[in-house]
Amino acid sequence: MAPLLRALRSGLRSVCLARAVSNSARSRGAVVTELQPRAADREEHGEVNEFQHNPDYHGFSSDPFVDDWNMRLAFFFSISMAIVIGGTFIHYLPDHGMRQWARREAELLIKQREAQGLPLIDENYYDPSKIVLPSSSDE
């Protein structure tokens, strides 16, 4: 603890955070390490704010002209082309559930029954004369 206090008094007060790391169990000494880089290092390797250089920054490039064109191309291909190609694909999909086929088949059957003079809907779904029933002696 004493080396830590000496280090703090000698000039590490400018460092925001520091930690003490014990070397070994016998020596009971501590080493002070910095958790954050010094202010001089931060100024040399500081972050560049793209919004100061380009207020309309879209995140594609640091060059404003290239950034603007990349944004336009990305939105054109992701939204416009997706809507056009996706809508065309959905339009030309085959008949889902065969609904259109069922409608056409029903209209053909109605025309056929009207031409034959039969009712549109019969009380028997199947022709009773064609159904073969088991005899009562087979039970």
Side-chain angles (χ1 to χ4, degrees), residues 34-110:
E34 296 179 12
L35 294 177
Q36 294 181 350
R38 289 176 291 184
D41 293 339
R42 275 188 261 133
E43 290 173 6
E44 293 172 6
H45 305 289
E47 286 187 26
V48 176
N49 188 358
E50 293 291 336
F51 289 106
Q52 291 175 349
H53 177 64
N54 180 12
D56 295 329
Y57 181 65
H58 302 292
F60 292 102
S61 176
S62 58
D63 183 21
F65 182 76
V66 173
D67 184 52
D68 195 36
W69 273 100
N70 283 340
M71 183 267 310
R72 289 177 182 169
L73 287 173
F75 277 94
F76 174 75
F77 283 109
S78 65
I79 294 177
S80 301
M81 296 300 288
I83 290 172
V84 170
I85 292 174
T88 305
F89 177 75
I90 289 171
H91 177 72
Y92 285 105
L93 280 175
D95 183 22
H96 180 70
M98 298 181 68
R99 291 186 184 115
Q100 294 173 353
W101 173 85
R103 171 85 184 212
R104 287 192 308 266
E105 189 69 20
E107 289 173 357
L108 286 174
L109 286 174
I110 288 172

Side-chain angles (χ1 to χ4, degrees), residues 14-33:
S14 63
V15 175
C16 295
L17 295 173
R19 63 180 173 186
V21 179
S22 175
N23 290 336
S24 67
R26 288 187 216 139
S27 67
R28 300 280 183 222
V31 177
V32 176
T33 61

Side-chain angles (χ1 to χ4, degrees), residues 106-139:
E107 289 173 357
L108 286 174
L109 286 174
I110 288 172
K111 287 179 185 177
Q112 181 183 7
R113 286 183 170 268
E114 286 176 347
Q116 294 174 354
L118 297 173
L120 296 179
I121 299 174
D122 195 10
E123 62 185 31
N124 296 318
Y125 187 73
Y126 293 106
D127 186 11
S129 63
K130 294 182 179 179
I131 297 176
V132 178
L133 297 173
S135 63
S136 61
S137 63
D138 290 340
E139 293 177 7

